[in-house]
């Protein structure tokens, strides 16, 4: 099977027109039409160590969530981590593909995977918005927990489900939490929509300090970290490839690429 066939399968699930205007999803590097795929390494971020891992596994394709090449490159040297990683991938004949905001916006995408790990059921009749090819989910995604939970139990559940050291939260809600608005990654732009949608809690990966103010007892804000909120995206990529490209060896990276330490 050609690398192009794997890329096509990913883009059928999350068409590139669904990506945000600022994004650079899709093929980053490589010759996809002529190369047979030897294996795919799936990850959140692409680093030099990730390329080394792919080579060690015999994979000539890396599929990431975050694009390695996000801004135009004027040259490729050893000047910084992005350029070194691009150079290493080229030298080892490894193709790079990213499924970023198109996978965020695709139905069944990143936020659905977060809901799955919460054991939450996505609301039926979710609002849809036309974005070229395909249908994008509303942002945030609304889902219901199996049973109402006290706020402190909700926070403890998040720590367990997402293996996080801490959760950044506003004042604990003094009513049960059942309906959760979800936006993986840097999702603070979804807070107002979460409130308008009647969510008891808003779960995301990043928010600014000032954005926590003024929502006490209105909604439970729970911020678990950008990497932590999207860590299961590789599972989704694996499911797509194994379903639509049977026989292609798929590996979830064993590397934690989160650059933030909690000390």
């Amino acid at each position: 099977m050609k690398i192009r066939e794997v890329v096509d399968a990913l883009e059928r699930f999350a068409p590139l027109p669904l990506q945000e205007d600022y994004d650079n999803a899709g093929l980053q590097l490589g010759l996809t039409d002529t190369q047979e795929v030897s294996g795919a390494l799936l990850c959140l971020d692409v680093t030099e160590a990730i390329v080394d891992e792919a080579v060690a596994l015999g994979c000539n394709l890396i599929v990431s969530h975050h694009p390695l090449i996000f801004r135009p490159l004027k040259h490729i040297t050893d000047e910084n981590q992005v350029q070194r990683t691009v150079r290493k991938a080229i030298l080892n004949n490894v193709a790079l593909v990213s499924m970023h905001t198109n996978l965020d916006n695709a139905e069944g995408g990143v936020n659905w995977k977060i809901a799955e790990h919460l054991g939450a059921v996505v609301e039926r009749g979710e609002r849809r918005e036309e974005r070229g090819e395909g249908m994008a989910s509303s942002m945030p995604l609304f889902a219901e927990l199996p049973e109402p939970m006290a706020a402190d139990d909700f926070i403890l559940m998040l720590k367990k489900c997402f293996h996080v050291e801490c959760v950044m939260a506003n004042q604990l809600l003094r009513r049960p939490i059942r309906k959760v608005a979800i936006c993986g990654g840097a999702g603070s732009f979804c807070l107002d929509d979460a409130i308008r949608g009647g969510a008891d809690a808003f779960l995301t990966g990043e928010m600014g300090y000032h954005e926590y103010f003024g929502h006490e007892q209105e909604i439970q804000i729970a911020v678990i970290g950008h990497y932590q909120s999207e860590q299961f995206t590789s599972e989704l990529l694996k499911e797509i490839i194994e379903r639509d490209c049977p026989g292609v060896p798929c590996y979830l990276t064993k590397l934690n690429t989160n650059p933030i330490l909690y000390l």
Side-chain angles (χ1 to χ4, degrees):
M1 181 172 287
K2 298 289 194 295
I3 291 177
R4 166 54 59 192
E5 295 175 80
V6 179
V7 176
D8 288 345
L10 292 165
E11 292 183 4
R12 280 194 300 272
F13 183 91
L16 290 183
L18 295 183
Q19 71 178 308
E20 301 297 333
D21 293 340
Y22 61 82
D23 202 7
N24 187 38
L27 179 65
Q28 301 266 294
L29 187 158
L31 304 175
T32 63
D33 294 324
T34 57
Q35 280 195 315
E36 298 277 342
V37 59
S38 60
L41 177 63
L42 314 173
C43 58
L44 193 63
D45 311 289
V46 185
T47 65
E48 292 175 86
I50 290 287
V51 177
D52 289 337
E53 184 182 22
V55 172
L57 290 168
C59 297
N60 62 354
L61 172 63
I62 294 172
V63 183
S64 68
H65 182 46
H66 296 146
L68 173 64
I69 303 173
F70 196 74
R71 297 177 180 84
L73 296 177
K74 294 185 178 180
H75 48 262
I76 300 176
T77 65
D78 287 341
E79 181 179 298
N80 56 44
Q81 182 264 339
V82 172
Q83 292 182 35
R84 289 192 298 272
T85 305
V86 168
R87 190 164 176 267
K88 178 168 283 193
I90 292 172
L91 289 173
N92 287 280
N93 200 29
V94 176
L96 306 180
V97 175
S98 73
M99 295 284 113
H100 192 211
T101 54
N102 54 322
L103 194 60
D104 290 329
N105 290 328
E107 186 168 355
V110 174
N111 294 327
W112 267 263
K113 181 57 69 174
I114 294 172
E116 178 186 314
H117 277 268
L118 285 176
V121 178
V122 174
E123 283 192 352
R124 302 187 69 177
E126 276 281 286
R127 173 172 57 86
R128 298 290 183 266
E129 177 186 5
E130 288 284 355
R131 300 178 63 88
E133 298 178 18
M135 300 295 287
S137 73
S138 64
M139 295 284 277
L141 181 73
F142 292 92
E144 285 202 355
L145 301 173
E147 299 291 339
M149 302 182 70
D152 54 347
D153 290 333
F154 177 71
I155 298 298
L156 288 173
M157 180 187 70
L158 294 180
K159 293 176 74 171
K160 181 179 179 180
C161 287
F162 295 93
H163 316 295
V164 296
E165 295 90 343
C166 65
V167 175
M168 291 177 283
N170 61 344
Q171 184 183 86
L172 291 182
L173 204 63
R174 292 192 290 270
R175 69 171 190 268
I177 292 172
R178 182 72 183 270
K179 184 175 181 178
V180 183
I182 302 168
C183 184
S188 60
F189 66 95
C190 288
L191 178 59
D192 289 342
D193 286 334
I195 294 168
R196 281 192 293 268
D200 302 307
F202 175 54
L203 172 62
T204 190
E206 281 186 53
M207 274 185 56
Y209 173 81
H210 295 286
E211 293 169 311
Y212 288 79
F213 281 100
H215 301 295
E216 298 80 9
Q217 299 309 312
E218 181 179 38
I219 191 169
Q220 182 66 66
I221 296 171
V223 180
I224 61 175
H226 194 125
Y227 177 93
Q228 291 87 340
S229 71
E230 296 179 332
Q231 63 184 293
F232 302 117
T233 303
S234 297
E235 293 178 2
L236 175 59
L237 296 169
K238 188 171 187 284
E239 290 166 8
I240 297 167
I241 296 173
E242 288 184 338
R243 182 192 66 208
D244 295 346
C245 304
V248 173
C250 288
Y251 304 90
L252 301 178
T253 180
K254 294 182 179 179
L255 301 178
N256 183 331
T257 56
N258 188 1
I260 301 172
L261 299 178
Y262 298 82
L263 305 175

